[in-house]
Amino acid sequence: MSAEINTDPNRVIIFDTTLRDGEQSPGCSMNLEEKLRVAKTLEGMGVDVIEAGFPIASPGDFEAVNAVAKVVKDSIVCGLARSGKMDIDSAAEALKPAERKRIHTFISTSPLHMEKKLQMTPEEVHQAVIDSVTRARGYVEDVEWSPEDGTRTDHDFLCKCVESAIKAGASTINIPDTVGYTMPNEFAELIRMVRERVPNSDKAVFSVHCHNDLGLAVANSLAAVDAGARQVECTINGIGERAGNASLEEVVMALRTRHDIMPYSSAIVTEDITKVSRLVSGVTGFNVQPNKAIVGANAFAHEAGIHQDGVLKDVRTYEIMTPESVGLTTNKLVLGKHSGRHAFNEKLKELGYEIGDNARQDAFRRFKALADLKKDVFDEDIVALVDDEVLHSDDRIQMVSLEIHCGTVHNPPKASLTLSVDGAEKSCDGFGDGPVDAAFNCIKELFPHNTRLQLYQVSAVTQGTDAQAEVTVRLEEDGKTVNGQGTDTDTMVASVKAYVHALNKLLVKREKTAPAALSA
Ligand code: KIV
Ligand code: ZN
């Protein structure tokens, strides 16, 4: 399969591991519905390979890989497996429905990992490489093999394992910089060395998987491409274990922007980058830092007078790529109070939404209400509004009404809240240190539960005091975390929606693990 993609020698395969390595970072968990939305968006933007999860890791991971395998048609769907038989069998089973599938199997090869983590001799590891790739090839044609901690592996041993993996049938060899230790020159040299020394290296596509512990994941990946790697493993917004993985948007835009000195290309529709970045930060609750390259809020902002002056004269003075090339349409006025149903439906189509009639009617009704409250309605507002509708439509607990009293006088902040729980309305008044605390206390009274609030985060969808607030709430119960989102022009309403959304997700999680624990 990878050979099929790679008929153009300068084509770089984009392997996205947001749903696997990205999801491995603490607090970053996504539920099945969210994983499917991310997978479909990645497919739509032209990602070649989607690593959908690690099927043996948990029933939830198995289910997610299986569900992604059912719906994704254009991208190759990949499942991760250690070298053991059960891992590989589980990955093969989860991937069964996929039209295009890959098993990615790995084992540590550095002296430190072999001795301390695996407690295996190099000979045993070498045999496991052959056995695991052979077993995986018994299920699928497309097998990728990775030597974990590859950049700290003895070169002779690395070459021996790579040669055996290719002989056993691996068509992609991925060299991971598992601990983000290498440097661009050193990594490029390593890739060149392996490709030159391994006699059958021309039978495989070489791939790289870089972690960002020293902030070099993207630089290392690009250096490896220059040295002959033709697959880059990366994640949206660079999320991932510890300091994260190489960021997809940075790799892709570097290739596009510096085509003059790096004549390689990817199939990514770069105009979708902003949309997918927002989707991933929304569902994970991991905000993008404002100065993050490509997708940070300030990435295309020109504050300094001297810069603004230059940009007004000719944008190329300070812009090396256009905001439009990454799909940034910020502050583009789209619709107003007087826009009709037809214009709204056209806008939904333009933004890539395919939603049913009922959801569309509801979204239109909410758009009208928003346009009454907010002078200018931007693309971002429509996206937030429709996502909010989709996110909350199946919730068992829904917010019906909220009233807040707060201020600087002596009365403590008070919230009066009505929730609908399984269709029955319940109301209460609650007090707290502040309005958010009072409202959240009300939720706990109306639906008693024992969770820890790990994150409460507010951001604005657009600019201005009438902007919609986008709130993320992360709740933790028995070591499991869920993220909830809520959007509204009223920050307090958005906060309650986000909390209630997280609570609903927790109920679904509980339902899956222990049906008896369903009632609060
Ligand atoms: O970082 C790493 O080494 C990995 C492997 C499983 C490829 O994620
Ligand atoms: Zn990794």
Side-chain angles (χ1 to χ4, degrees), residues 30-38 390-391 501:
M30 293 174 236
N31 68 18
L32 181 60
E33 187 265 325
E34 290 163 344
K35 285 183 184 176
L36 286 172
R37 282 173 70 204
V38 172
V390 173
L391 283 176
H501 180 228

Side-chain angles (χ1 to χ4, degrees), residues 446-465:
L446 294 175
F447 193 86
H449 57 281
N450 197 11
T451 59
R452 214 165 56 82
L453 179 69
Q454 274 195 340
L455 175 83
Y456 170 73
Q457 189 171 270
V458 186
S459 54
V461 173
T462 55
Q463 288 164 0
T465 50

Side-chain angles (χ1 to χ4, degrees), residues 205-226:
V205 171
F206 276 77
S207 164
V208 288
H209 174 112
C210 296
H211 280 269
N212 206 29
D213 299 66
L214 291 173
L216 291 168
V218 171
N220 289 336
S221 304
L222 294 173
V225 169
D226 239 357

